Amino acid sequence: MGILKEQNIYAYNILKAYNCEIDEHYGYLFSSLLHLESELESGSLKQEDFAQRLLQTINGSKAFRDLDRVCLAVTHPGSTRISVLSSFNSECLGENKMSRDYSCFVATTSSIFNTKKSNVRIYSDIQDILTAYSGRPSQRSLKRLADMGVKSGVTIPLAVSNLISGFLFLNSATEGNFEKFESQDYSTLCLMKLVSLSCLN
């Protein structure tokens, strides 16, 4: 239907590596993300502050497209419940309606649970997804995101172990914000995944 697409972030980087040149802006961004991971490992960065720091790190770079929301969530073993560990909105979005400790149940048939662990899920316009649910109850969190002003997003699945897993959600107030990723952007997503796994740990 064209509403959601999945991209394998590792395969993409391998295939594109031969003509990929990392400019100084991406180099600085990569270093900043790795520094963020070291702060998590040393305990100087608290889990609840992770989303705000990640958003500031990305938006402080000239290399990556603007983000307006970062959310780290964990799944519950043996359940389809997802709980927010850390969430932060930029001023471009309305009140954060899914802050820390917000939780919801997601259908096992949902695309979020069917996303392979090495893939990312991308959507360009949240209204297209809500329209697809016409006549059926849509996911509560989708409605909340739309109410906040979210237009597009990326979902990165995270798996620490068989018992611990979660998701990193990146959102923008701009429609189609994640449609034209380049190889450096997928490298950035790989590093964000690495840092987020450290936070779940």
Side-chain angles (χ1 to χ4, degrees):
M1 191 157 43
I3 294 173
L4 292 168
K5 72 174 185 178
E6 289 189 13
Q7 174 69 58
N8 186 292
I9 54 180
Y10 307 121
Y12 187 94
N13 276 317
I14 292 169
L15 290 172
K16 296 293 182 179
Y18 70 93
N19 64 358
C20 174
E21 294 182 9
I22 304 297
D23 65 28
E24 61 183 16
H25 298 304
Y26 280 97
Y28 177 78
L29 176 57
F30 295 168
S31 296
S32 299
L33 286 169
L34 291 173
H35 178 69
L36 198 61
E37 184 191 25
S38 68
E39 286 187 86
L40 286 165
E41 290 180 348
S42 68
S44 60
L45 176 60
K46 295 180 180 178
Q47 190 180 66
E48 57 265 30
D49 298 326
F50 170 74
Q52 182 176 0
R53 282 292 307 281
L54 182 58
L55 184 67
Q56 291 169 342
T57 299
I58 295 297
N59 282 349
S61 167
K62 295 179 181 178
F64 203 77
R65 293 165 184 82
D66 286 341
L67 293 179
D68 294 303
R69 177 177 181 267
V70 169
C71 176
L72 180 68
V74 65
T75 59
H76 294 257
S79 170
T80 60
R81 183 182 172 200
I82 299 176
S83 294
V84 172
L85 298 177
S86 182
S87 177
F88 188 79
N89 288 4
S90 76
E91 295 179 355
C92 293
L93 296 179
E95 177 189 354
N96 189 349
K97 297 185 176 183
M98 290 187 287
S99 56
R100 182 175 170 83
D101 294 330
Y102 169 86
S103 66
C104 63
F105 288 90
V106 180
T108 54
T109 55
S110 170
S111 63
I112 191 173
F113 278 123
N114 293 322
T115 303
K116 294 180 181 178
K117 296 304 179 184
S118 60
N119 285 14
V120 293
R121 187 186 68 156
I122 301 171
Y123 61 88
S124 296
D125 187 352
I126 199 169
Q127 288 302 325
D128 289 341
I129 303 175
L130 290 171
T131 300
Y133 278 99
S134 180
R136 298 179 293 142
S138 63
Q139 181 64 39
R140 178 180 62 174
S141 56
L142 289 174
K143 183 68 168 62
R144 291 192 178 215
L145 286 172
D147 289 345
M148 285 190 285
V150 165
K151 298 291 185 184
S152 56
V154 175
T155 301
I156 303 175
L158 308 169
V160 177
S161 68
N162 290 334
L163 294 178
I164 303 173
S165 63
F167 298 94
L168 178 67
F169 300 99
L170 310 173
N171 299 108
S172 174
T174 303
E175 184 178 330
N177 193 58
F178 307 101
E179 277 298 293
K180 296 181 179 179
F181 272 163
E182 298 179 359
S183 54
Q184 295 97 324
D185 299 315
Y186 283 103
S187 296
T188 305
L189 292 181
C190 286
L191 278 179
M192 282 195 275
K193 177 171 184 171
L194 177 68
V195 174
S196 300
L197 286 169
S198 293
C199 193
L200 278 187
N201 253 336

